[in-house]
Amino acid sequence: MPEVGFSPIGYLATPFRDRFGIPRQPRLAPHARGQLRLIRPYDRPEAVRGLAAFSHVWLSFIFHRTAGRWSPTVRPPRLGGNERVGVFASRSPFRPNPLGLSLVELLSVDTRAGVLLTFAGVDLLDGTPILDIKPYLPFVECEPAARGGFVAGPPPQLAVSFSARALAQLSQHEQRWPDLVALLGELLAQDPRPAYADDPLRQYGFRLYDIEIKWRCTAAGAIVEEVLGPLVDG
C-alpha cells in the first residue's frame, strides 16, 4: 500500500499555549473558544455550504507536539497516573500515528473573507493543524448505553477562588476576553495537576492567551493567586 500524506486545511487558534492546563477532553470548558481560518485551496465558501445548520462538528487533527513519539502502554490521569493501559484503550497523544478527534460546538461560519469558523469547548493547543471537519450526527453518534471503560464519568470538580490581586489583574484583560474568569474557573475546576501532585504549598503556572496564570491547590480547592503579562513569546 502506498504511503498516504495529509495536508492541513488550517491551524486552530486557541487560548492554550501550554499542554498543562488544557481540558483533558473537549467540551469540559464551554468558554474555551477556538477559531479556524481555512487556508488555500480549502478557503472557498462553497466548501462549508450547509455547515451552519449543524450545532456540533468533529475536528480531525494532528498531535503536532508529540509526533514521532509513541508507547504501546500509557498511564491515563483518570487512573491516578500509576496504572498502565494499552495506547489503543486511551486517548493519549503518544500514538503510532499522531491523529486526534475532538467534538466541539460550532458557533459561527463566516465567509465574508475566505472561511472563518468559530468553536466553543475546544481542548487543543494553539496552532494545532486541522485535517478535516465532519458534522456530528446525534442520531447515529450518540449511544446512551455505551460503556465508558475506566472512564466512568466526568472528573470531580474543585472549588475555584481568586485572590483580590488576581481579580484586579484579570479586570485589566476583560475588554479583550470578557469570559476569562469563567474560562479559568472551568479549567481549574478539573484539577490539571499531575496525579502525584499533592503539595498545598506548590505554586503552578500555565500560559493562557498572552498571560501567565499562577495558582495553587489547598484543601478548599484551587485558588488563582496572580496573573502576569502580557507575555512575549521567544
Side-chain angles (χ1 to χ4, degrees):
M1 178 179 175
E3 291 187 0
V4 178
F6 297 98
S7 298
I9 61 173
Y11 299 85
L12 189 67
T14 79
F16 307 116
R17 303 300 193 264
D18 303 317
R19 287 175 55 199
F20 183 54
I22 294 182
R24 293 192 172 109
Q25 299 295 340
R27 303 177 63 219
L28 292 180
H31 286 94
R33 302 290 177 89
Q35 287 194 315
L36 176 66
R37 183 173 292 282
L38 300 188
I39 60 178
R40 294 180 179 179
Y42 316 111
D43 59 344
R44 300 165 60 171
E46 58 264 37
V48 292
R49 184 182 300 154
L51 185 62
F54 297 90
S55 65
H56 294 77
V57 297
W58 293 105
L59 299 180
S60 301
F61 64 92
I62 298 174
F63 287 109
H64 59 298
R65 293 274 186 92
T66 57
R69 293 184 287 161
W70 81 282
S71 172
T73 62
V74 296
R75 296 183 291 181
R78 291 299 292 272
L79 293 177
N82 297 313
E83 185 177 343
R84 287 188 174 273
V85 301
V87 64
F88 299 126
S90 80
R91 296 192 176 190
S92 167
F94 299 98
R95 317 190 71 79
N97 294 298
L99 301 177
L101 191 63
S102 187
L103 177 63
V104 296
E105 182 181 1
L106 177 62
L107 297 181
S108 66
V109 179
D110 186 346
T111 57
R112 291 174 294 181
V115 177
L116 179 65
L117 308 175
T118 302
F119 308 111
V122 300
D123 64 335
L124 304 179
L125 274 170
D126 184 56
T128 293
I130 303 300
L131 297 179
D132 201 5
I133 305 164
K134 290 186 175 69
Y136 170 74
L137 303 178
F139 80 99
V140 293
E141 296 176 319
C142 178
E143 180 49 72
R147 299 192 304 274
F150 59 83
V151 185
Q157 298 283 294
L158 294 177
V160 180
S161 60
F162 298 82
S163 72
R165 181 181 186 183
L167 285 174
Q169 292 166 330
L170 287 167
S171 69
Q172 300 173 19
H173 304 286
E174 62 184 359
Q175 187 171 357
R176 294 193 293 165
W177 307 303
D179 297 328
L180 183 56
V181 172
L183 174 58
L184 274 174
E186 292 167 353
L187 297 178
L188 295 180
Q190 300 170 44
D191 193 356
R193 296 176 301 167
Y196 55 80
D198 59 1
D199 182 357
L201 299 179
R202 179 175 176 179
Q203 188 181 68
Y204 300 89
F206 60 81
R207 292 183 300 164
L208 197 65
Y209 297 111
D210 62 356
I211 57 180
E212 185 170 9
I213 310 300
K214 297 290 188 179
W215 62 283
R216 63 186 176 90
C217 273
T218 68
I223 178 169
V224 179
E225 296 185 318
E226 191 175 14
V227 178
L228 306 176
L231 303 174
V232 178
D233 288 334

